[in-house]
Amino acid sequence: MKLNTKVVTGKVKLNYVNIKEPKAINLSTEPKYGTTILIPKESNTMDKIYEAIYNATKNGLHIWNGKVPENLVTCLKDGDLLERKEYKGCFYINATSRVKPQIVDKSLKEIGSEQLYNGCYGRVSLNFFPYNHLESGNCGIGAGLLNIQKLRDSEYISNRSSALDDFDIIKED
């Protein structure tokens, strides 16, 4: 019997929003839609995510010869380990999909992907799944992106450094 691995989050912040058209990470991968989901560590959503990852791990036993691999990785990452202020106090998940997710507003009216951006708040439905990449030897739990509900606007997250951060003042001799 397959255990439930679907989660609908509470309020989360979106980053690296790629919902307009699918993109490939490199030439050898399939193009996908995706986003990074920033989840406050104290959120009630975390209990649901832990349970779904546990269930996905149990569901994966058949592809891992009946036991959890020692090198198992999960899509759930600790934002405090990054030097990014918007990730502090959060866990984050990179979720992708081959199929374009539906996007709705607070009233469940469909909205265009252009209304989503790095830094806006929303809710996300996810499906956690086990994988076993034989060619690379990677085993883990990934997150499939299902749907997005935009809740509110917020400050834009820039994922680039500024010229002021990159350069020093040069004084001509």
Side-chain angles (χ1 to χ4, degrees), residues 29-86:
T29 60
E30 181 179 3
K32 293 182 181 178
Y33 299 93
T35 190
T36 298
I37 303 153
L38 304 174
I39 309 144
K41 288 186 174 180
E42 304 302 320
S43 166
N44 292 335
T45 296
M46 289 312 305
D47 288 336
K48 293 189 247 178
I49 290 173
Y50 292 138
E51 181 178 358
I53 289 173
Y54 176 82
N55 288 345
T57 303
K58 289 287 197 183
N59 291 344
L61 290 175
H62 74 281
I63 64 172
W64 302 320
N65 298 321
K67 64 179 185 169
V68 177
E70 290 181 26
N71 63 340
L72 186 76
V73 295
T74 72
C75 55
L76 183 64
K77 307 295 182 195
D78 188 345
D80 289 332
L81 299 178
L82 301 177
E83 293 185 20
R84 304 228 10 218
K85 66 177 179 162
E86 54 276 333

Side-chain angles (χ1 to χ4, degrees), residues 99-131:
V99 178
K100 186 171 186 168
Q102 280 188 297
I103 307 163
V104 296
D105 65 11
K106 289 189 290 188
S107 303
L108 301 181
K109 292 182 181 157
E110 200 161 329
I111 59 174
S113 58
E114 69 280 350
Q115 292 193 41
L116 297 179
Y117 57 90
N118 301 341
C120 72
Y121 284 95
R123 295 174 66 214
V124 180
S125 57
L126 303 166
N127 184 50
F128 293 88
F129 59 90
Y131 63 85

